[in-house]
Amino acid sequence: MSNNTRHVPVMLQRCLDMLAPALAEPGATVVDCTLGLGGHSEALLATFPAARLVGLDRDPSALKLAGERLAPYGERATLVHAVYDELPGVLDRLGLPRVQGVLFDLGVSSMQLDEADRGFAYAQDAPLDMRMDQTTGISAADVLNTYAPGELVRILRAYGEEKQAKRIVEAVVRERVQQPFSNSARLVELIRDALPQAAKRTGGNPAKRTFQALRIEVNGELASVERAIPAAVKSLAVGGRIAVLSYQSLEDRLVKQVFAAGAANTAPAGLPVVPEQYQPRLKLLTRGAELPTEEEVAENRRAAPARLRGAERIREDIA
């Protein structure tokens, strides 16, 4: 499958429109914090011919493919092997104290879902890996085979919002003593067997929530998001804009909290005039989270859970 047929960027036009007012000026820099296969980045470079792009990804194979795709843009695109919470360090090294635009697409890259041997998908059998950067860290199999039962229950509940976590973990612990887990099909089967009938009737594949929880744990995703969104807001110049696509409620909640805090007036109650240091730093560009259109979901099923939030930097922090 070629890059272009494989990767349909989610809510692409809406993201471009949201960032547009900040990227029209010559010398504007936009950071794609989740480069993936470069779909959003390619559109940003094509739409804003005066802008320079910095693209980050933790997955070396995604960087290679995106590099080929963005090669026609030459010097305008700088691609960096980094997790998105490393953004301040990356900008520092590139001599960019402030940027005009930041985009996050927090979904698992299509490539990782489509390549069977990465173990992200529950639809086909594959080694239980799930690392976005396969050069480092522990795999999903390691988590299943070595974590204490209580810790596994906590992960499934917190990251997968799995109501049957205890039941699934009891089955995992029973099975791993006989033989450690290595492949996804065995885990999917175990989850199907462990769940009560009623739980299997709702919400798609019964393994979905467990796989999401393992992926988040293996990649430290929520902790990265928690650090990355405030750091990205801090890196914006006044007039700069940030757009964030999330695909699950935990991530969306983190983004919402950071934006809401930035857009709040922090003055003590009862001041007749609000001094500058208490004025909001951000202006929200979305009312709540925006959802993809029905047409888009019909064309690209991966867009269905997407939630888009945006904000504009309206003043500097005052120490």
Side-chain angles (χ1 to χ4, degrees), residues 5-6 13 38 134 144-145 157 180 190 231 247 254 258 303 313:
T5 55
R6 162 153 63 185
Q13 195 53 51
Q134 290 185 301
L144 279 175
N145 294 327
R157 282 190 182 142
L190 173 141
Y247 296 78
L254 288 175
V258 174
R313 181 76 183 233

Side-chain angles (χ1 to χ4, degrees), residues 10 32-34 40 84 103-109 112 132 215-216 221-222 224-226 228-229 243-248 250-255 306-307:
V10 171
D32 184 347
C33 287
T34 43
H40 283 109
Y84 40 66
L103 174 68
F104 284 88
D105 180 354
L106 296 171
V108 180
S109 130
Q112 289 156 346
M132 306 245 185
R215 193 195 84 216
I216 290 173
E221 283 173 56
L222 281 180
S224 292
V225 171
E226 223 164 339
I229 305 295
V244 185
L245 282 162
S246 322
Y247 296 78
Q248 31 129 328
L250 302 163
E251 284 174 340
D252 184 51
R253 200 175 308 145
L254 288 175
V255 178
R307 303 282 177 272

Side-chain angles (χ1 to χ4, degrees), residues 7 10 14 42 63 65 89 132 205 209 250 288 297:
H7 184 60
V10 171
R14 190 64 196 98
E42 185 177 43
L63 278 170
L65 289 168
M132 306 245 185
N205 191 311
R209 290 179 293 276
L250 302 163
V297 173

Side-chain angles (χ1 to χ4, degrees), residues 144-176:
L144 279 175
N145 294 327
T146 65
Y147 276 32
E151 190 59 4
L152 282 175
V153 170
R154 183 191 69 75
I155 289 164
L156 262 54
R157 282 190 182 142
Y159 300 160
E161 301 180 89
E162 174 56 80
K163 294 184 178 70
Q164 305 291 334
K166 213 160 178 303
R167 216 179 254 248
I168 292 169
V169 169
E170 279 166 7
V172 165
V173 171
R174 208 168 42 240
E175 282 287 315
R176 76 186 186 185

